[in-house]
């Protein structure tokens, strides 16, 4: 069962149990409720700042480099990501990144174009779901049955996490 945390959280009417999950998620209430106004009488404001966080997940057992693609020659090294791990950076819509082998910043295994409202990007050469909003475009396709037991388990845990994130976003209406 879900632990009832501190009193202030346990009684928050916006903390709702997700269907088919032993998990409570915060569902953003109508902004008017914060100001004790009539429901739907106010609209939340939008930010002018378009920057966002970007998380890049390596769904391979390989150690890869994350590179920024400036469009001017070689990729610019951002960091190294071990197999089945992730890294993050500040970014903005239209920003381009790719995962490549550490010894060759021109060899893009998986590329991404950052989109507004999408913060997590997956390099998954085992999936047929290439090119979706959070899925990178890979230059090679791999057979998931080629993974050893431990790596296949790591891969499947990431797939569970992706499924949960999709359910969470649908339930909360999050962006």
């Amino acid at each position: 069962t879900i632990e009832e945390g501190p009193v202030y959280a346990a009684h928050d009417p916006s903390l709702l149990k997700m269907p088919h999950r032993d998990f409570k998620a915060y569902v953003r209430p109508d902004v008017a409720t914060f100001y004790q106004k009539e429901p739907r009488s106010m609209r939340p404001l939008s930010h002018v700042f378009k920057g966002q966080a970007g998380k890049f997940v390596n769904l391979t057992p390989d150690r890869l480099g994350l590179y920024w693609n400036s469009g001017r020659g070689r990729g610019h090294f951002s960091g190294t990501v071990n197999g089945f791990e992730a890294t993050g950076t500040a970014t903005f819509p239209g920003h381009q990144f790719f995962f490549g082998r550490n010894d060759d910043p021109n060899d893009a295994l998986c590329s991404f174009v950052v989109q507004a409202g999408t913060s997590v990007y997956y390099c998954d050469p085992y999936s047929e779901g290439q090119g979706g909003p959070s899925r990178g475009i890979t230059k090679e396709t791999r057979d998931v049955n080629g993974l050893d037991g431990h790596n296949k388990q790591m891969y499947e845990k990431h797939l569970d996490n992706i499924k949960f994130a999709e359910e969470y976003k649908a339930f909360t209406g999050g962006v």
Side-chain angles (χ1 to χ4, degrees):
T1 66
I2 296 175
E3 296 284 322
E4 288 296 335
V7 173
Y8 61 85
H11 300 292
D12 186 337
S14 298
L15 198 58
L16 305 175
K17 186 180 181 312
M18 289 179 60
H20 315 295
R21 296 264 183 189
D22 192 15
F23 186 84
K24 286 186 177 181
Y26 181 80
V27 178
R28 188 181 318 176
D30 183 329
V31 70
T33 63
F34 294 110
Y35 301 94
Q36 299 175 350
K37 304 277 185 181
E38 282 294 313
R40 295 179 293 285
S41 65
M42 300 175 75
R43 289 189 359 236
L45 297 176
S46 297
H47 299 284
V48 174
F49 179 70
K50 300 298 181 195
Q52 64 187 63
K55 179 178 178 181
F56 299 87
V57 184
N58 174 7
L59 293 184
T60 78
D62 307 324
R63 185 176 181 169
L64 300 174
L66 180 68
Y67 297 87
W68 166 54
N69 180 1
S70 67
R72 292 182 241 138
R74 295 172 53 110
H76 303 276
F77 182 75
S78 180
T80 299
V81 184
N82 291 325
F84 301 106
E85 293 187 5
T87 190
T89 189
T91 187
F92 55 85
H95 213 177
Q96 297 180 30
F97 292 90
F98 65 91
F99 273 127
R101 294 175 185 25
N102 285 324
D103 58 347
D104 187 358
N106 295 313
D107 185 17
L109 169 65
C110 190
S111 58
F112 313 92
V113 177
V114 174
Q115 299 178 25
T118 301
S119 296
V120 184
Y121 298 87
Y122 303 95
C123 178
D124 183 3
Y126 303 102
S127 170
E128 293 182 18
Q130 302 294 316
S134 63
R135 300 293 180 119
I137 304 292
T138 60
K139 76 172 194 178
E140 64 184 53
T141 303
R142 297 181 183 180
D143 183 355
V144 72
N145 294 317
L147 292 171
D148 66 27
H150 172 74
N151 286 329
K152 192 168 186 179
Q153 183 180 26
M154 295 294 290
Y155 178 74
E156 289 170 353
K157 285 183 180 195
H158 275 287
L159 294 183
D160 289 344
N161 190 37
I162 292 168
K163 182 179 178 188
F164 175 80
E166 291 167 353
E167 290 173 9
Y168 180 89
K169 186 173 183 177
F171 181 74
T172 63
V175 291

